[in-house]
Each structure stands twice: as structure tokens, then as C-alpha cells.
Amino acid sequence: MNSSLGKYSEKFPGSSSYEDIQQRAHHRNSRELLDTTCRIANTLKKYGIKKGDRVAIYMPVSPLAVASMLACARIGAVHTVVFAGFSAESLAGRINDGSWLGGYLVLSRETHGGVRLELQVSARCYSRAVPDTTAADLKGQELKSKPKEGTLDRTANCKAVITFNQGLRGGRVTELKKTVDEAVKSCPSIKHVFVAQRTDNKVHMGNLDIPLEEDGLERGEFSKRETDEYKVAIVQARINKSNSKSFCRVKDLCLYMFWQEMAKTDPVCPPESMDSEDMLFMLYTSGSTGKPKGIVHTQAGYLLYASLTHKYVFDYKQGDVFGCVADIGWITGHSYVVYGPLCNGATTVLFESTPIYPDPGRYWETVERLRINQFYGAPTAIRLLLKYGDEWVKKYDRSSLKMLGSVGEPINHEAWEWFYNVVGDGRCDLLDTWWQTEFVLEF
């Protein structure tokens, strides 16, 4: 992934196009994404995050969330993205999961001269290659204590959390930092909480918290004219509150610019050398069918799968704009918002809002404005939009669409027909995918 990001930053102008809740597009090309990724990576390293450490990311869909995932991958840290709508209890459970509870090591097969093991702890299953251990030493052996450093990775036990002060969803403000504060009270492994600004509202900052403020002005990101506009707009926004046009200009100028801590760091961070079977990330099941289970995805196999399915299943061609509207808190967002498209140098759309905010035409207005070629969404959203009728769809130009995709549970007949005939005008291929849990991706 790190080599792909570097390669495409030089070769292609591919980018991420971030669609915020106010229907404003913020574009980032590969060079800018790499720069942000390296700055975050160096910030994490500055505060002691190293290869093998776990980092929880509790953020909605945004460029900084994507860059945070890539920054962890760049330094060999394992990211655990937690859906930003989950409660403090759910977040704490995912941070703490993996305390050493004991278990059995069961030999399954030899890999790269070592032994692949299954460590069964509580209701979860975690696989890991242990290179310096023989089969005779381990077969059927019961572990009574924590393993030696470097012989077997533990599971979650996150060392840091990256979050925003607040989130915006469907016209509502969500208190992300407050949720994190409540969660880390019961998370002794957390050493740092990195807090970025999504809104202008102040939040409580404790001993663990590190402010990651926007710092585009100090780094010369804007011209003198824009800087003067910014200063005037700040004053006007404070007078007229957040409804003023000036406030929107402030967000256009500095929304998701580089954070204060990042501005002090080097924009170059050499990628960590990783084995093909090293962990890339851990993602938890939703918990709807029992205790959430953390599933490990390793480096090479996962990236190859995500890259090839994005390219061939979705018939991606260089220059296409790929629009997956899933949240990065789910495997679909990992695979088809972040890793798959970026591995192929694609322009990927990050969608922050909901299907019906500010109105039921939001998806299709975005398709028209960004000229999206592949649209990938959930059957639940399609069924919801179907209830609002055809007029919200036909109001917008969807001629750029070449392929439609449905992801989640199997789509029902009525929703399929509407999606194909109304949204796709009966001319777009429709891909129906389901059972894409955090454990396995199946088509």
C-alpha cells in the first residue's frame, strides 16, 4: 500500500474527493494524501507509536480518517477503525479486547519455515505466524502466561486513539470526543488521544489528549489574500454565528488542513518493511449476533484481493471516479473506499452525509456534480430512497454512471428493479454483493 501511494503520487493525478455534509467537495490528490499520511505517521512515531502497536480510529468518513489509516500502515502499526456511531461501551470493548486470557495453541500448517497458529481466546480466533518455534514445541501446548515479546502478537489492546472533537451527521452534531473520554476511563492501555477539529466548538482536553489543530495558514497553505479573507471571516463568523456565509468560507479555507502537531513534523516518512503475513488491520464484527469478534487482515493477501476486485469486478478504468458511499467503520469502506481504489490509483469519493440529508436527492446530486462512474451502496439505503419516488432521482444527470453495486444483505427484487431501471436507466450493469462481513469478503 505504501509503495502504491508513493508510485501514484508521481504517476497519476488520482485523488480522493471528499463530500462533506454541507454538499461541498474537497479534493485531495495523491501527492497531498501522501504528504498528510507521512505527517500523521511521524506524529504517531513522535509519541511512541511503533510497528506492531494498535491504534483505534474513532472518526467518520473524512480525508484525515483515511490518512490516519494509511499512516498506521506506513509505520507498521495496526489500525482498528471503530464506527463513529458506536457508544463509549462499544468503543472501550474493542480497545480492550485481547487482554491475555490464556488459551490453546493449535498447530495448523507450516508457513515460511515457521508455524501458523490459531490462538483461541474467549469467543475469538486469532491467527499469527511464529517463525522461531517448532511444531514439536507447540502442538497442543496450553499457555498459562503472557508470551515472550516477539514470539506471538497479542490482539487489540490499543495504545492510542485518533478522533475528532465532534462529528456532523444528518444535520446533527455528534460528541465524538466525549464518547472517547468516557471509553478510555476503562482502557488502561491507552497512552494518548489525538484530537482533530471537525467543528469550531471547544471540547475538554485531559492529560492524555494531544490537540491536532488545523494549521494551514501557518504553513503557507493559502495566499495573502486568502489569509486576509480568513481573518475577516473569523470575525464575521463569531458575530453572525455558524449560519453566516463567512463561516462556510472559513471551513472552505481550513477544513481538514494540517494539524498543529503535524505541521511540526517532516512530510517524509519512509515506510516500514513488512512481511506479507504481518497484520495490516483488525476490524470487529458489529455484534448483532453476539459478542463482537476482532478479525485480522494481513498485508499482502488482503491488499491483492481488494485491488483486483476493485479493478476487475467493478470494471475500473484509469480516470474513472469511484463512488462507494459506505462508512470506513465497515469492511466495505476499508476495501472499496480506501485500499482497493488507492491501490489502483483511482479517484475515490468519501461521503460524510446520509442518503436523505439535506434531501432524498443527495446521492444523485453527488453523482451529477462529481461525475461518478461506479456507484456502490447498501440495499437498506436503496429501499429507503425508493419510498421517496422517482422524481428525486430523475432531477439529476446520471449519464456518467457505468456500473451500480449493492452491498450488505442480498437486495430484494423490488429494490433491484428500481435501482436498475430508475437509477441506472436500464443501461448500467448491476452488481449484487452480500455477506461481506469483517471476516471474509465474498461475491
Side-chain angles (χ1 to χ4, degrees):
M1 183 65 238
N2 288 308
S3 60
S4 295
L5 194 58
K7 176 178 70 174
Y8 289 123
S9 70
E10 302 295 336
K11 187 176 181 181
F12 297 122
S15 66
S16 63
S17 180
Y18 167 56
E19 179 74 8
D20 76 12
I21 200 167
Q22 283 91 16
Q23 292 180 280
R24 297 192 304 273
H26 304 262
H27 302 279
R28 298 288 182 270
N29 62 35
S30 298
R31 177 68 255 177
E32 292 169 330
L33 179 59
L34 177 60
D35 189 276
T36 308
T37 296
C38 288
R39 289 181 181 276
I40 298 175
N42 284 326
T43 300
L44 294 176
K45 289 170 68 175
K46 174 183 175 181
Y47 285 92
I49 306 300
K50 60 185 184 302
K51 180 178 179 179
D53 287 341
R54 280 38 162 188
V55 177
I57 299 174
Y58 187 68
M59 306 172 89
V61 180
S62 62
L64 289 186
V66 172
S68 296
M69 295 168 66
L70 299 177
C72 290
R74 197 166 188 84
I75 64 174
V78 178
H79 64 72
T80 299
V81 180
V82 180
F83 175 59
F86 279 162
S87 66
E89 182 181 5
S90 297
L91 175 59
R94 287 159 173 79
I95 290 173
N96 288 328
D97 184 56
S99 297
W100 188 255
L101 302 176
Y104 289 88
L105 289 173
V106 182
L107 176 67
S108 62
R109 67 184 176 89
E110 301 224 353
T111 306
H112 302 302
V115 178
R116 172 167 292 285
L117 306 171
E118 286 185 345
L119 170 60
Q120 296 181 349
V121 179
S122 187
R124 56 180 295 114
C125 179
Y126 171 69
S127 297
R128 183 72 181 128
V130 183
D132 298 321
T133 312
T134 66
D137 293 333
L138 293 170
K139 190 171 183 179
Q141 178 181 349
E142 181 178 0
L143 298 181
K144 297 294 186 181
S145 60
K146 175 181 174 181
K148 294 180 180 179
E149 187 72 23
T151 59
L152 185 68
D153 285 350
R154 294 203 290 167
T155 45
N157 285 132
C158 297
K159 190 173 180 179
V161 181
I162 306 175
T163 191
F164 281 121
N165 63 330
Q166 295 176 315
L168 296 173
R169 184 173 177 82
R172 297 178 293 105
V173 174
T174 56
E175 299 294 343
L176 301 180
K177 177 57 166 53
K178 287 183 180 179
T179 301
V180 172
D181 286 345
E182 186 63 30
V184 298
K185 290 178 181 178
S186 57
C187 301
S189 64
I190 294 297
K191 305 302 181 186
H192 302 292
V193 177
F194 298 93
V195 186
Q197 295 292 120
R198 176 60 183 91
T199 70
D200 288 341
N201 298 324
K202 300 295 182 182
V203 294
H204 171 73
M205 300 294 284
N207 294 332
L208 299 178
D209 302 332
I210 299 170
L212 302 173
E213 304 290 349
E214 297 159 348
D215 199 45
L217 293 175
E218 285 74 10
R219 293 186 62 255
E221 292 291 324
F222 308 117
S223 65
K224 183 180 185 303
R225 178 187 61 79
E226 289 177 317
T227 302
D228 291 340
E229 275 189 47
Y230 171 85
K231 293 175 180 177
V232 172
I234 282 287
V235 175
Q236 291 177 340
R238 287 172 176 168
I239 295 173
N240 302 324
K241 307 302 182 183
S242 61
N243 292 326
S244 70
K245 292 182 180 179
S246 300
F247 179 80
C248 292
R249 178 56 181 155
V250 170
K251 302 310 289 181
D252 284 337
L253 282 172
C254 67
L255 181 65
Y256 295 117
M257 288 294 106
F258 296 111
W259 305 332
Q260 190 174 47
E261 282 296 326
M262 290 168 52
K264 303 172 186 175
T265 61
D266 193 333
V268 176
C269 178
E272 188 74 30
S273 177
M274 305 295 289
D275 185 78
S276 63
E277 288 293 309
D278 284 338
M279 290 171 61
L280 175 60
F281 66 86
M282 179 180 285
L283 192 61
Y284 282 79
T285 57
S286 64
S288 58
T289 58
K291 180 183 176 181
K293 300 172 181 63
I295 308 301
V296 169
H297 289 274
T298 55
Q299 298 276 337
Y302 170 79
L303 290 174
L304 178 64
Y305 180 93
S307 173
L308 290 181
T309 52
H310 170 260
K311 183 175 181 178
Y312 294 113
V313 176
F314 291 97
D315 193 29
Y316 168 76
K317 299 292 191 297
Q318 193 64 47
D320 284 351
V321 178
F322 191 81
C324 176
V325 292
D327 193 280
I328 59 168
W330 313 118
I331 191 63
T332 305
H334 278 57
S335 301
Y336 302 111
V337 173
V338 184
Y339 286 111
L342 294 181
C343 274
N344 293 323
T347 294
T348 181
V349 175
L350 314 179
F351 188 81
E352 180 187 39
S353 190
T354 67
I356 57 174
Y357 183 83
D359 58 55
R362 182 62 188 273
Y363 277 170
W364 323 124
E365 187 275 336
T366 303
V367 167
E368 176 185 87
R369 181 158 39 84
L370 299 181
R371 305 302 296 167
I372 291 174
N373 302 115
Q374 293 91 359
F375 179 87
Y376 198 30
T380 304
I382 300 304
R383 286 193 292 270
L384 172 64
L385 295 172
L386 189 157
K387 296 178 181 178
Y388 289 92
D390 300 354
E391 59 272 17
W392 285 106
V393 181
K394 295 181 178 180
K395 181 179 178 181
Y396 299 101
D397 176 17
R398 304 168 323 283
S399 60
S400 61
L401 289 173
K402 299 190 297 184
M403 178 172 284
L404 303 173
S406 169
V407 56
E409 72 277 10
I411 192 170
N412 61 300
H413 180 76
E414 182 184 10
W416 191 100
E417 290 288 343
W418 185 82
F419 200 20
Y420 178 77
N421 291 310
V422 178
V423 176
D425 289 325
R427 59 176 180 78
C428 298
D429 292 332
L430 202 165
L431 175 69
D432 185 15
T433 62
W434 64 90
W435 290 344
Q436 291 194 46
T437 69
E438 286 76 1
F439 179 54
V440 63
L441 306 174
E442 292 195 11
F443 285 86

